[in-house]
Amino acid sequence: GKGTVAATPEQGDVEYLAPINIGGQTMNMDFDSGSSDLWIFSTKLPAASQTGHQNFDSTKSTSFKAITGASFSISYGDGSGAAGMVGTDTVNIGGATVTSQAIELATTVSASFVSDTNSNGLVGLAYSKLNTVKPTQQKTFFDNAMPSLAQPVFTADLRKAAVGSYEFGNIDSTKFNGSLQWTAVNTTQGFWQFSSTKFSVGTGAAMANPGNQAIADTGTTLMLANAAVINGYYSQVQGAVNNATVGGVTFPCAAKLPDLNVDVGGNFNAVVRGDDINFAPVDATGQTCFGGLQAISGNLQIFGDIMFKSNFVVFNGGNNSLAMAPHG
Ligand SMILES: NCc1ccc(-c2ccco2)nc1
């Protein structure tokens, strides 16, 4: 089988939401290739946390089964998190269906999830080894769906301020230009991870970024790269400054932003368009803009939605590889 759902950006492309059906109930969810729990807002939450959200009611699903004694607890890089209980139910994403998918019913969620009323949970699409359910770890939707998918793949087609799509089991060649370029991924840490040891800015010379890795993460808004990339890139942007008050690099909104070229797995170069690196104005005057490329320390970079806006991405769970091509 296969399934396709629309991926709709929140205001400002902060995250992309897509509908899934759980035991007959539709929930708009944040698909996250950087984590591996499918958790949902539920009627088990305090009433105040449920306000404004779609809340899954397990008592209204005839196919829901609790997993006695199972629980989950997850925290994300941005400090947000959720925890609760676990059951199984039928999950249908655009036609791709898993009859006994572990669904994690939140009994507590952090404040930033409560206030993000467009999102009613996450669909984790990284490797199942990262799943937080105890005492028995559970599988992701993609792992469970794979054997019945026409191809063992899912694709992300995320667009700047426009509706895109997530697709399971099929690669829609009308959604990208040219040919897909492939790399193997390193699954050791449970991410869709690859090396990225070179980069260039605009038409500039390639610069080394030795020992660096990156993950493809649809659940992170920005593109988080190490100091070498940040300095190499923003040294080419007139008026770019590290603005501690705002919390990152800003530049004049009128700045002409060069493309960023990053090596993927030593196999190909991915282009992140300059226009996609202009993330948003920092205030209503629209004079100063916040960069979509921001710093992260260490050598595991996080290529989030900013990278996906320039590239159609295929995740192949059959042979643990990943492909990219410019959007069509
Ligand atoms: N990268 C995982 C992830 C996704 C969303 C969120 C989030 C916090 C508040 C609203 O959304 N946090 C982390």
Side-chain angles (χ1 to χ4, degrees):
K2 63 191 178 90
T4 306
V5 284
T8 304
E10 278 191 331
Q11 190 64 29
D13 297 351
V14 171
E15 62 187 38
Y16 290 78
L17 299 165
I20 75 172
N21 188 289
I22 307 173
Q25 299 172 46
T26 298
M27 313 270 293
N28 293 324
M29 304 285 282
D30 179 3
F31 286 27
D32 182 12
S33 64
S35 66
S36 306
D37 284 53
L38 196 171
W39 69 263
I40 52 183
F41 271 74
S42 79
T43 53
K44 311 274 185 196
L45 281 163
S49 299
Q50 296 184 45
T51 305
H53 286 273
Q54 298 159 332
N55 298 286
F56 178 76
D57 183 345
S58 56
T59 67
K60 295 212 167 42
S61 166
T62 56
S63 43
F64 176 80
K65 290 192 180 66
I67 302 179
T68 311
S71 66
F72 82 98
S73 178
I74 192 162
S75 54
Y76 299 103
D78 64 355
S80 62
M85 52 185 68
V86 188
T88 59
D89 209 336
T90 300
V91 174
N92 180 331
I93 303 183
T97 299
V98 171
T99 50
S100 184
Q101 173 63 39
I103 57 169
E104 304 169 25
L105 284 62
T107 56
T108 177
V109 294
S110 62
S112 57
F113 279 116
V114 174
S115 53
D116 179 12
T117 50
N118 298 304
S119 169
N120 304 290
L122 266 64
V123 177
L125 295 168
Y127 286 86
S128 296
K129 69 174 69 170
L130 289 179
N131 178 266
T132 73
V133 174
K134 292 183 173 12
T136 311
Q137 191 173 56
Q138 299 296 312
K139 289 187 175 179
T140 66
F141 173 82
F142 181 46
D143 256 351
N144 286 322
M146 232 186 294
S148 64
L149 292 176
Q151 295 179 68
V153 300
F154 71 92
T155 68
D157 176 26
L158 304 184
R159 305 278 172 151
K160 181 171 192 174
V163 177
S165 64
Y166 285 106
E167 189 155 12
F168 292 87
N170 181 55
I171 299 172
D172 181 347
S173 58
T174 68
K175 292 191 172 152
F176 56 87
N177 285 336
S179 44
L180 287 168
Q181 297 183 295
W182 290 92
T183 187
V185 294
N186 175 346
T187 66
T188 316
Q189 294 190 76
F191 297 118
W192 294 93
Q193 183 175 331
F194 45 86
S195 67
S196 188
T197 59
K198 276 189 318 223
F199 70 97
S200 65
V201 179
T203 56
M207 294 189 256
N209 200 358
N212 275 280
Q213 303 271 314
I215 67 170
D217 183 2
T218 57
T220 289
T221 310
L222 303 180
M223 182 170 186
L224 308 178
N226 65 5
V229 175
I230 299 304
N231 297 336
Y233 183 81
Y234 286 116
S235 64
Q236 304 307 307
V237 177
Q238 291 298 327
V241 293
N242 193 6
N243 187 325
T245 346
V246 171
V249 179
T250 62
F251 41 77
C253 293
K256 176 89 186 75
L257 294 173
D259 294 348
L260 171 67
N261 307 294
V262 288
D263 175 70
V264 177
N267 289 299
F268 64 88
N269 172 69
V271 179
V272 182
R273 291 182 305 226
D275 180 60
D276 288 333
I277 295 176
N278 189 336
F279 179 61
V282 299
D283 60 32
T285 69
Q287 299 307 306
T288 303
C289 279
F290 191 73
L293 178 69
Q294 295 293 343
I296 190 169
S297 56
N299 69 356
L300 188 57
Q301 303 175 106
I302 302 179
F303 291 178
D305 297 338
I306 296 292
M307 190 270 296
F308 287 88
K309 291 183 202 179
S310 295
N311 295 281
F312 177 88
V313 180
V314 185
F315 299 83
N316 186 318
N319 62 11
N320 298 326
S321 65
L322 172 145
M324 296 189 198
H327 284 294

